[in-house]
């Protein structure tokens, strides 16, 4: 990982989702990745370290990854980034959850991105990764990949929700594994960090899908 960057992870007590705060040690410029809920610990850290939160960058539009967006956008004046292909997913999320999660009423996207773009003040590289949702993306910084719900330690994202597609997820994982070095740290949307090399060797889905095979966990 880039030694000039620091990454803080906080887990939402509501959704058990990983919210990431990434900042440049020299400039103190920061970004939030997938703020799943307003968290006092994040605000306290930003204030203590005198960080300037410029961007909120989202891997996808599910409720557990976007419920804190409106709060942080308003508090810090940050620019919200999301895939141009994820608009329908956000609208579905609002229809499904706005009554239970009133924070969604303040959600808004300022800028959309597409595959291959570099976005935000920290320069996240966008890797389109459809499958979990049609507009899911992996967000890369040097030595680090925020994979959202596309890839986890030992597992992958589900594809049975709105706009999910297993064949697309397979293709996305094949591409990501083919293009990414073993020592890149994976910062997933849920669970613990891992490395690409570890998942290449031990993740049963990755092992099967990168060989073009079908693996059914119920058969184990």
């Amino acid at each position: 990982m880039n030694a000039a960057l620091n990454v803080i992870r906080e887990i939402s007590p509501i959704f058990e989702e990983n919210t990431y705060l990434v900042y440049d040690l020299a400039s103190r410029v920061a970004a939030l990745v997938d703020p799943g809920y307003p968290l006092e610990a994040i605000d306290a850290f930003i204030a203590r370290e005198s960080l300037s939160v410029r961007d909120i960058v989202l891997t996808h539009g599910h409720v557990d990854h976007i419920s804190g967006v409106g709060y942080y956008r308003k508090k810090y004046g940050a620019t919200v980034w999301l895939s141009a292909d994820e608009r329908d997913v956000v609208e579905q999320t609002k229809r499904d959850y706005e009554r239970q999660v009133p924070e969604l009423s303040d959600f808004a996207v300022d800028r959309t991105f597409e595959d291959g773009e570099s976005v935000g003040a920290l320069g996240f590289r966008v890797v389109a990764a459809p499958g979990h949702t049609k507009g899911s993306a992996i967000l890369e910084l040097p030595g680090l990949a925020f994979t959202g719900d596309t890839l986890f330690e030992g597992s992958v994202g589900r594809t049975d929700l709105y706009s999910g597609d297993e064949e697309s997820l397979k293709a996305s994982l094949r591409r990501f594994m083919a293009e990414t070095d073993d020592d890149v740290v994976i910062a997933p949307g849920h669970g613990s960090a891992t490395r690409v090399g570890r998942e290449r060797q031990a993740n049963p889905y990755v092992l099967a899908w990168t060989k073009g095979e079908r693996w059914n966990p119920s058969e184990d």
Side-chain angles (χ1 to χ4, degrees):
M1 192 175 74
N2 189 338
L5 296 177
N6 197 18
V7 180
I8 302 299
R9 180 188 71 150
E10 290 290 338
I11 302 173
S12 165
I14 306 298
F15 300 113
E16 296 186 350
E17 178 268 351
N18 294 329
T19 291
Y20 295 99
L21 175 67
V22 190
Y23 65 97
D24 182 86
L25 292 166
S27 69
R28 319 306 287 174
V29 168
L32 286 162
V33 177
D34 287 359
Y37 207 76
L39 298 171
E40 291 182 6
I42 291 287
D43 285 330
F45 189 90
I46 290 168
R48 185 169 65 250
E49 298 296 323
S50 300
L51 303 180
S52 174
V53 180
R54 302 279 184 84
D55 301 286
I56 299 169
V57 193
L58 305 174
T59 62
H60 65 292
H62 280 160
V63 63
D64 52 337
H65 292 252
I66 69 171
S67 293
V69 168
Y71 168 82
Y72 288 114
R73 179 176 181 263
K74 181 177 180 180
K75 184 175 181 67
Y76 298 110
T79 299
V80 178
W81 300 81
L82 181 68
S83 169
D85 294 327
E86 196 72 350
R87 293 186 182 93
D88 292 349
V89 175
V90 168
E91 292 307 311
Q92 185 67 41
T93 294
K94 287 183 175 181
R95 286 192 292 269
D96 289 344
Y97 292 101
E98 201 157 25
R99 288 187 179 181
Q100 302 99 306
V101 187
E103 290 84 359
L104 285 175
S105 63
D106 294 325
F107 178 86
V109 174
D110 300 299
R111 302 282 299 275
T112 58
F113 54 62
E114 296 182 357
D115 184 47
E117 287 191 64
S118 178
V119 304
L122 296 181
F124 291 87
R125 178 179 177 266
V126 175
V127 178
H132 178 63
T133 64
K134 66 179 180 180
S136 284
I138 294 172
L139 306 170
E140 296 185 336
L141 291 169
L144 179 63
F146 297 94
T147 57
D149 288 359
T150 295
L151 179 62
F152 306 115
E153 180 183 21
S155 189
V156 297
R158 60 192 294 184
T159 57
D160 60 335
L161 301 175
Y162 176 77
S163 87
D165 182 78
E166 183 176 298
E167 293 305 314
S168 295
L169 182 61
K170 289 180 181 180
S172 295
L173 288 171
R174 289 186 192 117
R175 176 194 174 190
F176 177 69
M177 287 293 165
E179 295 179 352
T180 311
D181 293 338
D182 281 349
D183 60 351
V184 169
V185 174
I186 293 171
H190 302 269
S192 301
T194 181
R195 290 186 183 270
V196 169
R198 179 177 180 180
E199 300 312 299
R200 202 190 307 278
Q201 295 175 358
N203 187 312
Y205 292 93
V206 172
L207 284 167
W209 290 356
T210 55
K211 296 177 181 178
E213 302 170 358
R214 182 175 180 84
W215 177 75
N216 186 344
S218 65
E219 296 174 355
D220 289 353

